[in-house]
Amino acid sequence: MIDAADLVADPQLAECFGILASASADILRGAGDPAMIANPYLHPRNIHPGNLTLYRPLIDGLDEPRTGLKNKLVGLRALGTALRDKSTAWQGDDVSAPIDVLFVSHLLRPEQATSGQDLYYGRLPEELQQHGLRCAVAMINHTGLSWASIAPRWKKQPAPRLLLARTLSALGELRNGFALTRAGRRLKSHSSSDALIAELAIRAAMHSSSGTARSALRIGMQVAALTKHTRARVVVMTYEGHAWERLAMLLARRSVPDIQCVGYSHAVLFPEPRAMTASLGAALDPNHILTAGTVTRDKLKELVQMPNVRLGVLGSVRRGTAALSPDRPQRCLVLPEGLVSESVPLILAAIQAAKLLPDVKFRIRLHPVLKREQLLSEAPLLRSLPTNVEWSDQGPLEADFVDCRWLLYRGTSAVFQGVEAGLKPFYLGLPGEFSSIDPLADLDAWRVAIKSGADLASAMSNPTDVKLEQAELAAARLYCSTYFAPINPAALIDIANGVSGQGALAEDSRFA
């Protein structure tokens, strides 16, 4: 191993990040304590700018920001919410045991409660039920609303849905707070002959009681309680490298020892996906990793370090469905990820281009997890927009695709749907960016990389060769169809039925 001084001095961020991730995995492999595993600092996800923020102090050799007061306030807020809500561990539809497959999904906006639209699995649970598999969907609540506010909107679906409570009981939140504090103390006193691991443990201790750690511990416990309640044989969860995912697998196995844990890699695979590919031991590793398409599967074949995991393709509801239209308005769709830090530079570039191209309209469509007022409160300069820049009404994404000709993006997976709908994509690179997070980076044509709004305006103004563009679009659409394939229920049917050594899973497995 390289010590902490070497890490800070190394100019290659990817190499630094890899050393840091390896040291984190070394700590977690010896940990059986859920509160330790819940620590987000010990799960370096990838080198997306939004994730790197957590590690910049260590990489740059700076002191860690003081977070003690903030963490205490988070704990008090959770306790207050628990006292107000007085809720059970979950609410929603009735579910009787046993079931075959438990899906762990996400409620990003209240409208999903009524429509039943699942942004991750679509109608897959209902399709599996048609094949004789009993399913239920547990949703992590990202809306910030209590069950009392969501309940009037709730509409029962063919596959029962449950909403995980915002908190545990008041006593449960107190216990978790104490457990996270104890885990932090153990990290501070973590002994290692390796200087890097020792330094990493000290810095991780400062994040042990963070809001993210508290949420990870809570979600892991809720998923485990639900697997025990339903006696599920298979649990399928979105899989991006978050702490709660590994913790949910560990605790689910403690509740139902023979359960099959499936990680669903549904999103874009950003560079250096360390947390989701490192082996943390049989108790913490998934049994299966299913991907959205063959591109992600083939990349993970080269990266996954788990000796017994099986890889397959589940497909995705993100597969583009919008029809191609030859006559599109002069409008550019701006599609940021659900982070303020990612939204602001994209919108500023759009504003710059809009001022240079007054006859072109620009439409901003925020990620469902990010509310407009939240963005504007943190970036008030965006409250005043040029007349040719507008906000999307956040209706169906396909409607925005039909209304636009171009697409400005950075790391969003929705760019694949946009390309399949015929939009020309422009990737905005940022100054000082260590690595591109362009989901379409493997495309040689059709996509265009820019560095500013002025570049965007210039590129949009260039005359085009219609025949060449048609050929490039056809190739780009073909690529997108392999990155996000149609949903394949057979992948989960095989797992639930215990099929091994034959069929699609065996063919797609790295370790068959």
Side-chain angles (χ1 to χ4, degrees):
M1 296 291 291
I2 300 176
D3 65 24
D6 291 327
L7 175 66
V8 172
D10 195 320
Q12 299 299 319
L13 180 63
E15 182 177 347
C16 293
F17 189 77
I19 296 169
L20 186 155
S22 177
S24 298
D26 287 344
I27 293 175
L28 287 176
R29 284 190 199 99
D33 178 12
M36 183 82 76
I37 297 163
N39 192 319
Y41 200 87
L42 297 175
H43 299 263
R45 292 174 56 202
N46 50 58
I47 55 175
H48 184 290
N51 298 322
L52 281 178
T53 303
L54 194 63
Y55 305 99
R56 291 309 318 212
L58 174 56
I59 291 172
D60 294 339
L62 303 175
D63 291 336
E64 199 75 27
R66 295 182 179 275
T67 57
L69 177 59
K70 179 181 178 181
N71 291 342
K72 288 179 181 178
L73 291 175
V74 168
L76 289 173
R77 191 179 301 117
L79 183 59
T81 301
L83 292 170
R84 286 195 307 272
D85 286 0
K86 297 180 180 178
S87 60
T88 56
W90 55 79
Q91 300 89 16
D93 303 334
D94 293 329
V95 180
S96 57
I99 68 170
D100 297 296
V101 183
L102 174 65
F103 290 90
V104 181
S105 189
H106 307 265
L107 187 74
L108 300 184
R109 52 183 185 235
E111 303 83 65
Q112 289 177 255
T114 303
S115 68
Q117 179 191 24
D118 193 293
L119 302 179
Y120 300 87
Y121 304 107
R123 310 307 295 178
L124 179 59
E126 287 78 8
E127 291 186 50
L128 294 184
Q129 290 197 147
Q130 293 174 8
H131 287 84
L133 297 176
R134 297 190 63 194
C135 301
V137 182
M139 308 185 80
I140 300 170
N141 187 356
H142 298 274
T143 67
L145 300 175
S146 67
W147 171 247
S149 298
I150 293 175
R153 307 169 182 253
W154 196 265
K155 184 178 179 182
K156 188 174 181 179
Q157 301 296 321
R161 293 180 304 154
L162 304 162
L163 185 66
L164 300 183
R166 294 191 297 176
T167 66
L168 305 178
S169 66
L171 181 58
E173 290 294 330
L174 281 173
R175 287 173 174 167
N176 278 4
F178 290 135
L180 292 168
T181 300
R182 289 195 298 271
R185 289 172 181 163
R186 284 195 294 275
L187 280 168
K188 284 182 180 178
S189 60
H190 184 83
S191 60
S192 174
S193 58
D194 190 294
L196 174 59
I197 294 180
E199 173 72 9
L200 184 69
I202 291 173
R203 290 178 181 260
M206 301 179 191
H207 298 267
S208 62
S209 297
S210 67
T212 306
R214 184 178 289 271
S215 294
L217 184 55
R218 180 189 305 124
I219 293 168
M221 296 174 71
Q222 290 170 320
V223 172
L226 195 49
T227 55
K228 183 176 182 179
H229 173 75
T230 60
R231 302 202 300 277
R233 296 191 296 114
V234 179
V235 58
V236 183
M237 62 190 73
T238 54
Y239 189 58
E240 299 179 355
H242 294 289
W244 72 264
E245 300 158 357
R246 297 298 190 113
L247 183 55
M249 293 179 192
L250 171 70
L251 297 182
R253 287 177 172 125
R254 290 182 179 178
S255 298
V256 184
D258 59 349
I259 195 169
Q260 290 288 297
C261 294
V262 180
Y264 174 40
S265 176
H266 64 96
V268 171
L269 196 65
F270 291 120
E272 302 292 321
R274 297 286 180 159
M276 65 183 293
T277 58
S279 176
L280 303 181
L284 293 168
D285 292 349
N287 299 100
H288 305 264
I289 297 177
L290 298 181
T291 66
T294 56
V295 173
T296 304
R297 180 204 62 191
D298 292 345
K299 288 183 178 180
L300 287 177
K301 282 181 180 180
E302 304 301 321
L303 297 172
V304 169
Q305 301 170 12
M306 307 170 203
N308 298 309
V309 73
R310 296 176 67 83
L311 279 84
V313 175
L314 180 60
S316 173
V317 297
R318 287 178 169 83
R319 177 67 185 271
T321 58
L324 288 171
S325 173
D327 300 314
R328 294 177 180 270
Q330 295 278 100
R331 184 181 286 113
C332 179
L333 183 61
V334 183
L335 271 182
E337 296 173 82
L339 299 168
V340 172
S341 60
E342 285 293 310
S343 300
V344 171
L346 274 178
I347 296 174
L348 290 178
I351 291 173
Q352 184 184 18
K355 292 178 178 178
L356 295 170
L357 299 174
D359 294 333
V360 175
K361 294 184 181 298
F362 292 79
R363 179 178 294 175
I364 305 164
R365 185 185 178 95
L366 296 180
H367 189 280
V369 79
L370 182 61
K371 303 296 184 290
R372 189 190 306 178
E373 277 308 311
Q374 177 189 349
L375 171 64
L376 296 179
S377 66
E378 297 190 42
L381 75 164
L382 301 181
R383 291 189 181 275
S384 179
L385 299 175
T387 56
N388 57 333
V389 179
E390 62 187 12
W391 297 97
S392 168
D393 63 8
Q394 298 294 123
L397 180 57
E398 290 77 12
D400 278 340
F401 288 153
V402 170
D403 281 348
C404 298
R405 178 173 299 186
W406 304 283
L407 192 158
L408 178 62
Y409 72 104
R410 275 181 51 74
T412 178
S413 61
V415 67
F416 290 93
Q417 293 165 274
V419 169
E420 288 209 68
L423 279 69
K424 188 171 183 65
F426 294 88
Y427 172 78
L428 178 65
L430 298 181
E433 192 169 54
F434 286 98
S435 177
S436 170
I437 58 169
D438 184 0
L440 300 177
D442 292 339
L443 272 182
D444 295 327
W446 190 240
R447 60 172 282 278
V448 177
I450 59 170
K451 295 183 179 180
S452 67
D455 285 353
L456 176 61
S458 176
M460 291 168 65
S461 303
N462 286 338
T464 59
D465 182 320
V466 175
K467 289 186 178 180
L468 177 61
E469 285 215 329
Q470 288 177 343
E472 290 182 350
L473 173 58
R477 296 182 78 224
L478 178 61
Y479 172 78
C480 291
S481 71
T482 59
Y483 205 107
F484 287 102
I487 286 286
N488 173 30
L492 280 176
I493 293 172
D494 283 353
I495 293 174
N497 291 336
V499 175
S500 178
Q502 56 182 310
L505 282 176
E507 180 182 335
D508 287 345
S509 171
R510 175 189 176 191
F511 302 105

